[in-house]
Amino acid sequence: GAVVSQHPSWVICKSGTSVKIECRSLDFQATTMFWYRQFPKQSLMLMATSNEGSKATYEQGVEKDKFLINHASLTLSTLTVTSAHPEDSSFYICSARDGYNPAGELFFGEGSRLTVL
Amino acid sequence: AQSVTQLGSHVSVSEGALVLLRCNYSSSVPPYLFWYVQYPNQGLQLLLKYTSAATLVKGINGFEAEFKKSETSFHLTKPSAHMSDAAEYFCAVSVGAGGTSYGKLTFGQGTILTVHP
């Protein structure tokens, strides 16, 4: 089946630095990708919708200047956490669906665990 | 707007026993409903989905769920639990097919399933 891959799986950084997380669709073209955030023992919260070639759409309460999303190609979306702080520590998960099958399955990446010291 | 409520954050069953994970939804339009499973430090895997076809949906690993509009429910069941079923399960709802809205999922709080030998 279709695969979505995230990199890195784990990242530890110092407070104030920026971290980039990549989300790749490996065998399909994803015109739309979604970024979720999951705090420990909590559910997934949608952060933003990433659209290839255009600006991302952010959910209410999500700071677009802090969580920069770039969807420069049909197989890659990146989430950059700028000036990270300990409260940004979380599990970030992306998802994507085949742009040629808009009613098809939504595939999830393995997730990226960010720890900010 | 749509929402999902999963009743019971933890469910514990014996190996071989019936698994029942409860999910109720709220949606102003006919919903699409999903069940996902998440193993520790991993992304989500789709178990099954309801997309307005048959109300009884069969998924992977022996799971099934029944859409009951009158009860606004989409409970997940499995006749006989296996140790490998121990994981966290998320119910999710989205609206419509096609366009970007299909992938915009709202998740429940999650239910951790524990299976005892």
Side-chain angles (χ1 to χ4, degrees):
Chain A
V3 177
V4 173
S5 178
Q6 281 184 243
H7 178 81
S9 301
W10 298 80
V11 57
I12 300 173
C13 70
K14 293 182 179 180
S15 184
T17 61
S18 295
V19 175
K20 179 185 288 187
I21 301 170
E22 295 184 345
C23 177
R24 294 182 183 273
S25 57
L26 298 184
D27 56 2
F28 64 95
Q29 293 184 327
T31 53
T32 303
M33 292 184 175
F34 302 88
W35 285 97
Y36 290 85
R37 182 175 183 176
Q38 185 180 29
F39 289 106
K41 302 185 185 303
Q42 294 189 30
S43 188
L44 285 77
M45 300 298 294
L46 179 65
M47 298 175 66
T49 303
S50 172
N51 303 298
E52 188 269 334
S54 65
K55 292 183 179 180
T57 304
Y58 291 82
E59 295 300 301
Q60 190 174 7
V62 178
E63 299 176 59
K64 61 180 181 181
D65 293 330
K66 179 165 189 63
F67 298 100
L68 300 180
I69 292 173
N70 184 284
H71 195 155
S73 78
L74 287 171
T75 59
L76 174 64
S77 175
T78 60
L79 169 67
T80 301
V81 182
T82 63
S83 187
H85 288 88
E87 58 265 30
D88 298 324
S89 299
S90 188
F91 195 50
Y92 293 87
I93 304 176
C94 73
S95 65
R97 58 181 172 81
D98 189 336
Y100 291 100
N101 185 16
E105 181 176 342
L106 190 65
F107 297 97
F108 284 80
E110 314 95 322
S112 299
R113 185 164 299 286
L114 170 64
T115 301
V116 184
L117 302 176
Chain B
Q2 58 272 7
S3 65
V4 174
T5 301
Q6 290 182 240
L7 301 177
S9 58
H10 289 79
V11 170
S12 180
V13 300
S14 298
E15 191 173 20
L18 171 72
V19 175
L20 171 61
L21 304 182
R22 300 178 186 273
C23 172
N24 287 88
Y25 70 91
S26 172
S27 177
S28 57
V29 297
Y32 285 12
L33 294 160
F34 308 79
W35 275 100
Y36 287 88
V37 60
Q38 183 182 32
Y39 296 97
N41 294 312
Q42 294 187 28
L44 277 70
Q45 180 182 7
L46 180 67
L47 282 176
L48 48 80
K49 63 181 176 181
Y50 166 77
T51 57
S52 74
T55 56
L56 182 61
V57 181
K58 294 186 182 298
I60 61 172
N61 301 338
F63 285 94
E64 64 181 36
E66 185 172 8
F67 172 70
K68 292 187 177 180
K69 183 178 179 181
S70 61
E71 300 178 7
T72 61
S73 69
F74 190 57
H75 301 330
L76 180 71
T77 60
K78 181 174 180 178
S80 178
H82 192 272
M83 297 295 288
S84 61
D85 295 328
E88 187 161 17
Y89 293 80
F90 291 95
C91 183
V93 63
S94 75
V95 294
T100 59
S101 63
Y102 182 79
K104 197 168 181 175
L105 298 174
T106 300
F107 286 87
Q109 306 91 320
T111 298
I112 296 173
L113 175 66
T114 303
V115 182
H116 297 288

